[in-house]
Amino acid sequence: MGMWASLDALWEMPAEKRIFGAVLLFSWTVYLWETFLAQRQRRIYKTTTHVPPELGQIMDSETFEKSRLYQLDKSTFSFWSGLYSETEGTLILLFGGIPYLWRLSGRFCGYAGFGPEYEITQSLVFLLLATLFSALTGLPWSLYNTFVIEEKHGFNQQTLGFFMKDAIKKFVVTQCILLPVSSLLLYIIKIGGDYFFIYAWLFTLVVSLVLVTIYADYIAPLFDKFTPLPEGKLKEEIEVMAKSIDFPLTKVYVVEGSKRSSHSNAYFYGFFKNKRIVLFDTLLEEYSVLNKDIQEDSGMEPRNEEEGNSEEIKAKVKMNSFLCFFLFAVLIGRKELFAAFGFYDSQPTLIGLLIIFQFIFSPYNEVLSFCLTVLSRRFEFQADAFAKKLGKAKDLYSALIKLNKDNLGFPVSDWLFSMWHYSHPPLLERLQALKTMKQH
């Protein structure tokens, strides 16, 4: 009877209290689930102290131990930074941090002569203050990760001065993009009428296409030096490979990643008939012999999780954004959503976007994220199978091992942790899939 009485009491609470409680409950549920998964993987790091028999020909004991200790340190850091992030978010909600920041933004606007009717201006001040707060609270964690963990394990190449200059530059560039785009989006929502969600979706679609198009030529060079790959055998072989499979390669760049980290990577990006490959200079330095094979494989399949996603995943995300804007249009008129987060007298559009997209949609976003992770792994296996078809199974097999060793990737994974988190299949699974074709 006691349990049912508690449930009855919960449902008798005002709608805004139920919404707020549900948001906090789900947030901590996800955090505890993520922590449970992380502890499963951490147990693997702690107990797997010797190279497993199936890895005997792949990784030596010294590299295996370095990788294990590196991942243990990263796991410890992830636990504490995650706990801090969840606690900070909870305290912000409990103590009314969002409405306070909105009122503070209004006061700043008032000092400049802008009244409450200038909602978009107040929204931009709110965004500026919110991102500044996020940057400042995240700075100590970023410093520790770079100058303690990455430094300890031999990856960090940055000086403190370079790091701070880079952080300031990132913040300024972010504001230069975020504020104009947000103001236009809010304006479209304001004047769009009953079908504003269609116009808002189209606007965000156009913005994303423009940003991807101009990123390499105008944004990325602000942070890293991009140079065309010099003429020579490597470039020639990449172009021959691209032409043989009708890959519309237009340019091959080398990015100066070594001034930040000794980690190596490669990725491609672009739309339609304008594809470009980017190679990290650390990759070229490390693989003087295997250069050609690694670049052939890396160029034809995504290696960068952020920029190398398949076109099918991108299409699904675009349709998802349309659905989200449609549901936003349905929910934006519900005053109890605003009241749940401390907005009793006003319903600012930006706050509505924040509440609905970040909090109300969080269960849906978790499910979608998992589905896209599964889909990404499937595409990675397809990419590996394509390499097999080209007769490159042996080369890819060697390249994956080299990349894993030099980046100190730990080759043993907990099945549940990898299923939930890994957008790329674990190394052993990829090698096993390639093994059957390696001899051919």
Side-chain angles (χ1 to χ4, degrees):
M1 290 295 291
M3 181 184 70
W4 293 112
S6 299
L7 289 174
D8 289 339
L10 176 64
W11 287 109
E12 288 173 2
M13 294 173 63
E16 59 266 25
K17 297 293 185 183
R18 295 201 304 270
I19 293 171
F20 185 80
V23 166
L24 277 183
L25 177 62
F26 184 78
S27 178
W28 277 95
T29 299
V30 170
Y31 169 75
L32 292 174
W33 166 248
E34 296 278 3
T35 302
F36 167 72
L37 294 178
Q39 289 305 309
R40 287 176 61 100
Q41 182 64 25
R42 183 174 176 81
R43 193 179 302 118
I44 296 289
Y45 297 146
K46 295 183 73 173
T47 58
T48 312
T49 56
H50 297 89
V51 181
E54 62 268 27
L55 299 176
Q57 303 299 317
I58 296 175
M59 182 176 284
D60 60 84
S61 298
E62 182 181 358
T63 303
F64 185 85
E65 181 64 10
K66 286 181 179 179
S67 171
R68 190 181 73 87
L69 295 177
Y70 177 49
Q71 298 301 332
L72 267 175
D73 283 348
K74 288 176 63 177
S75 174
T76 302
F77 174 81
S78 179
F79 171 79
W80 289 110
S81 62
L83 178 60
Y84 169 81
S85 179
E86 186 65 22
T87 304
E88 177 191 85
T90 300
L91 292 176
I92 288 173
L93 292 179
L94 288 175
F95 291 97
I98 298 176
Y100 170 78
L101 194 61
W102 180 257
R103 292 192 298 270
L104 183 62
S105 303
R107 287 202 292 271
F108 282 132
C109 289
Y111 298 150
F114 296 99
E117 66 274 15
Y118 291 92
E119 183 187 311
I120 293 180
T121 303
Q122 186 173 349
S123 298
L124 298 184
V125 176
F126 176 90
L127 280 175
L128 178 62
L129 294 177
T131 51
L132 179 61
F133 174 81
S134 178
L136 292 177
T137 56
L139 183 60
W141 297 99
S142 184
L143 284 168
Y144 186 88
N145 182 57
T146 301
F147 292 100
V148 177
I149 296 179
E150 294 296 302
E151 184 80 28
K152 175 182 176 182
H153 294 278
F155 289 116
N156 177 50
Q157 303 294 326
Q158 302 181 67
T159 63
L160 181 59
F162 177 87
F163 178 92
M164 296 304 299
K165 179 182 176 182
D166 201 51
I168 294 172
K169 191 186 298 185
K170 286 178 181 177
F171 182 82
V172 172
V173 171
T174 298
Q175 302 312 309
C176 290
I177 297 173
L178 175 66
L179 299 184
V181 169
S182 299
S183 62
L184 287 173
L185 176 61
L186 293 172
Y187 182 72
I188 289 171
I189 293 175
K190 288 287 187 184
I191 68 168
D194 293 339
Y195 297 101
F196 77 83
F197 63 93
I198 297 177
Y199 309 132
W201 172 69
L202 290 173
F203 172 72
T204 56
L205 182 61
V206 170
V207 168
S208 65
L209 293 175
V210 170
L211 287 177
V212 170
T213 301
I214 69 173
Y215 175 79
D217 292 325
Y218 301 102
I219 301 176
L222 296 174
F223 303 96
D224 296 298
K225 183 179 179 182
F226 285 74
T227 57
L229 181 67
E231 297 294 333
K233 187 176 182 181
L234 173 60
K235 184 177 180 182
E236 180 185 337
E237 292 291 343
I238 292 176
E239 291 174 343
V240 169
M241 169 67 76
K243 187 175 181 180
S244 70
I245 58 174
D246 297 322
F247 183 79
L249 178 64
T250 57
K251 294 181 181 179
V252 183
Y253 290 111
V254 177
V255 60
E256 191 181 6
S258 57
K259 66 180 182 180
R260 300 176 185 279
S261 170
S262 57
H263 286 296
S264 56
N265 206 345
Y267 61 89
F268 77 81
Y269 68 97
F271 293 105
F272 309 115
K273 298 297 182 180
N274 184 27
K275 305 285 190 182
R276 304 176 184 187
I277 292 175
V278 177
L279 313 174
F280 282 46
D281 60 348
T282 49
L283 193 66
L284 302 183
E285 293 169 2
E286 291 293 330
Y287 307 120
S288 57
V289 177
L290 295 177
N291 248 343
K292 177 172 73 71
D293 297 328
I294 292 173
Q295 301 318 321
E296 286 171 352
D297 295 321
S298 296
M300 297 306 113
E301 58 175 322
R303 292 283 172 244
N304 184 294
E305 295 180 15
E306 296 179 358
E307 303 193 47
N309 294 329
S310 74
E311 297 300 325
E312 186 174 340
I313 289 182
K314 291 177 183 176
K316 289 180 182 295
V317 171
K318 290 171 186 174
M319 290 308 298
N320 169 68
S321 65
F322 177 80
L323 174 62
C324 288
F325 274 115
F326 172 75
L327 294 176
F328 170 77
V330 173
L331 296 172
I332 188 63
R334 303 295 294 270
K335 292 185 177 181
E336 61 268 28
L337 291 179
F338 290 89
F341 294 90
F343 290 84
Y344 300 99
D345 302 320
S346 63
Q347 292 82 42
T349 302
L350 177 66
I351 300 302
L353 286 167
L354 173 66
I355 291 172
I356 294 172
F357 276 79
Q358 182 170 338
F359 299 123
I360 306 303
F361 286 172
S362 53
Y364 168 74
N365 290 335
E366 286 294 324
V367 174
L368 178 67
S369 176
F370 174 69
C371 292
L372 292 179
T373 297
V374 172
L375 191 61
S376 176
R377 282 202 303 271
R378 175 191 169 199
F379 289 149
E380 285 294 317
F381 278 124
Q382 290 178 349
D384 290 351
F386 184 68
K388 290 182 186 178
K389 186 179 178 181
L390 295 178
K392 298 293 181 180
K394 181 179 179 180
D395 298 325
L396 179 57
Y397 190 96
S398 300
L400 289 174
I401 293 172
K402 287 288 291 179
L403 285 169
N404 186 81
K405 283 183 178 179
D406 290 347
N407 288 286
L408 292 185
F410 197 71
V412 184
S413 304
D414 174 75
W415 70 271
L416 193 56
F417 180 87
S418 64
M419 180 185 72
W420 186 260
H421 283 292
Y422 288 179
S423 61
H424 287 49
L427 176 66
L428 287 180
E429 291 184 23
R430 297 184 72 177
L431 296 182
Q432 186 61 40
L434 286 167
K435 218 170 191 179
T436 55
M437 289 293 293
K438 184 179 176 184
Q439 61 270 28
H440 300 304

